[in-house]
Amino acid sequence: MKLDFNKHPHRRLNLLTGEWVQVSPHRTKRPWQGQEEETAQNTKPEYDPTCYLCPGNDRAGEAKNPEYTSTFSFVNDFSALLPDTSNEEVNDSDLLIAKGERGICKVICFSPRHDLTLAEMELPQIEEVVDLWVKEYKELGEKEFINYVQIFENRGEVMGSSNPHPHGQIWAQETIPEEPAKEMRQFEAYFKKHGKTLLSDYLELELKRKERLVVENDHFAVVVPFWAFWPFETLLISKRPFGRFTDMTDEEKKALADIVKKITVKYDNVFKVSFPYSAGFHPAPTDGKDHPEWHFHMHFYPPLLRSATIKKFRVGYEMLANSQRDVTAEFSAQWLRDLPDVHYKKRG
Ligand code: H2U
Ligand code: ZN
């Protein structure tokens, strides 16, 4: 029997991790409609005197925020990683293995406005966020003991975000953490075999086939990757193969702001709610090596499934056996692609 992606249960290989995902497209025969629930509309104030991140306010610790008017970053008051700590390696009988880890955690506020999100911010303001990402990547990455700079955002209460004020985090550390480390192994193997970055060949295919393409501009494209796990997972890929934030031209930085706006607007339009997600960049490590294999990209992992209130849980089979999804990547891509490019709040 010939494998039909739209009918037959199958497994797809995640090229970035080397892990397989189980796809069960036949299950979508059960009712699966994106209901648009009337969830509470935005009633957040532009300034919240009780918010830890608003300009001029006291934070949870001793610090007080300046009256910032654009972006603002600071060392996390409750940092998970610390710069001045042991980096000793421990091996007790080959059974108890550990290593001290040095690092720095920061919080970055995207805007002084408490009520906005990346999707609702204007392009020039998102460009300032991009500039801050570049600056932090450079400054943190230049430190001798920092070999990876993980920039990310947890959006929305479902993702465990502690505060609605538009913000992200940076965890910069000594070791290349597990997710980018898996990618590095895959990138290296592909580059060795083909002499090109894995994602330049993959993107070329996606731009030709178009079935998983969501949105693009001159320098970036967003696809639902063939191996997506989360229902609305996307992968943002640079068209030019480069690895570092600091490799971007001014034009590419502007294009990055533009594509981030485009995809986040689409997300908000799915259920006409501020779409929750965890998203983050995978730039090249800052370990002083060249990394010609590395290809700059960003992941969006939204948890929502069928409606603004139904979340996909990674439980049961997925915890014990394998990642699994029902709708195909192609189905989700078309859904996202067909949504308007204008934010629902601006459409009246
Ligand atoms: P999340 O919303 O993604 O959880 O991030 C908020 C971070 O902000 C969190 O890591 C930090 C928390 O430690 N924070 C401060 O550093 N100072 C504060 O006054 C409040 C929150
Ligand atoms: Zn990645």
Side-chain angles (χ1 to χ4, degrees):
M1 210 190 290
K2 197 172 174 336
L3 176 63
D4 183 340
F5 285 158
N6 292 313
K7 270 199 205 126
H8 302 138
H10 60 281
R11 282 153 67 82
R12 296 188 183 191
L13 180 64
N14 182 334
L15 292 178
L16 293 176
T17 60
E19 293 161 1
W20 294 81
V21 56
Q22 171 72 39
V23 186
S24 312
H26 58 294
R27 290 180 89 194
T28 52
K29 299 259 170 355
R30 70 205 164 114
W32 203 95
Q33 254 156 10
Q35 295 140 249
E36 278 171 11
E37 266 145 82
E38 287 308 318
T39 40
Q41 283 305 312
N42 195 352
T43 47
K44 278 184 281 168
E46 287 184 22
Y47 167 76
D48 176 353
T50 67
C51 169
Y52 294 128
L53 303 178
C54 274
N57 288 2
D58 288 329
R59 291 214 298 273
E62 260 113 80
K64 186 186 174 79
N65 298 324
E67 291 287 350
Y68 66 96
T69 54
S70 148
T71 58
F72 169 54
S73 68
F74 59 92
V75 173
N76 196 313
D77 298 308
F78 311 95
S79 293
L81 294 158
L82 301 168
D84 301 310
T85 179
S86 167
N87 65 338
E88 195 196 344
E89 287 187 34
V90 175
N91 183 330
D92 180 346
S93 330
D94 273 350
L95 293 171
L96 307 179
I97 298 166
K99 180 191 160 296
E101 181 74 2
R102 296 181 294 177
I104 298 171
C105 293
K106 295 186 86 168
V107 178
I108 50 180
C109 299
F110 299 155
S111 163
R113 285 268 304 266
H114 183 79
D115 58 330
L116 296 180
T117 61
L118 283 174
E120 292 171 73
M121 283 165 63
E122 300 300 329
L123 213 43
Q125 277 68 56
I126 305 175
E127 287 170 10
E128 289 173 1
V129 177
V130 172
D131 289 340
L132 182 63
W133 286 332
V134 174
K135 178 173 167 276
E136 293 289 344
Y137 174 84
K138 181 170 189 296
E139 283 179 11
L140 290 163
E142 275 171 357
K143 293 186 193 294
E144 156 281 322
F145 68 100
I146 297 296
N147 295 313
Y148 204 78
V149 180
Q150 181 60 60
I151 300 177
F152 64 98
E153 179 189 8
N154 288 321
R155 245 219 72 65
E157 270 165 59
V158 255
M159 290 317 290
S161 174
S162 57
N163 187 319
H165 196 107
H167 69 283
Q169 294 193 48
I170 304 176
W171 292 29
Q173 67 189 93
E174 201 162 11
T175 309
I176 301 174
E178 293 297 336
E179 294 303 315
K182 283 183 220 166
E183 293 186 346
M184 189 161 76
R185 288 192 286 275
Q186 297 293 104
F187 284 162
E188 278 173 350
Y190 193 92
F191 193 79
K192 216 169 145 191
K193 191 166 167 197
H194 301 273
K196 278 192 280 175
T197 69
L198 189 163
L199 284 180
S200 53
D201 279 352
Y202 176 65
L203 183 59
E204 194 185 315
L205 178 149
E206 291 294 19
L207 290 176
K208 224 178 275 163
R209 303 269 171 94
K210 296 224 156 56
E211 54 185 340
R212 282 170 297 273
L213 182 65
V214 174
V215 62
E216 66 176 314
N217 63 22
D218 285 350
H219 299 285
F220 295 91
V222 179
V223 301
V224 176
F226 181 69
W227 53 83
F229 160 66
W230 296 98
F232 292 98
E233 175 176 340
T234 57
L235 181 65
L236 187 162
I237 310 170
S238 67
K239 290 194 173 173
R240 183 173 69 89
F242 64 85
R244 304 174 186 85
F245 269 99
T246 43
D247 293 335
M248 274 192 285
T249 63
D250 288 343
E251 219 183 279
E252 282 167 335
K253 284 185 227 170
K254 287 202 162 137
L256 179 59
D258 172 71
I259 200 91
V260 164
K261 172 144 180 105
K262 285 196 161 96
I263 182 61
T264 53
V265 163
K266 289 227 180 234
Y267 275 149
D268 279 12
N269 285 341
V270 173
F271 299 121
K272 295 195 177 142
V273 291
S274 183
F275 209 63
Y277 58 72
S278 271
F281 292 96
H282 281 155
T286 55
D287 55 1
K289 296 186 188 138
D290 258 356
H291 293 290
E293 82 288 359
W294 202 280
H295 196 120
F296 185 89
H297 64 279
M298 180 181 193
H299 298 272
F300 285 89
Y301 299 135
L304 293 186
L305 185 57
R306 270 170 267 176
S307 75
T309 48
I310 301 179
K311 180 179 171 236
K312 177 180 172 73
F313 289 96
R314 197 176 205 148
V315 294
Y317 178 78
E318 280 155 358
M319 273 183 132
L320 289 152
N322 209 115
S323 294
Q324 187 269 343
R325 67 181 281 135
D326 291 348
V327 290
T328 61
E330 296 73 37
F331 180 95
S332 300
Q334 186 174 355
W335 184 329
L336 288 169
R337 194 166 53 233
D338 291 347
L339 286 166
D341 296 318
V342 180
H343 197 276
Y344 69 90
K345 283 188 194 165
K346 298 211 166 138
R347 279 183 274 137

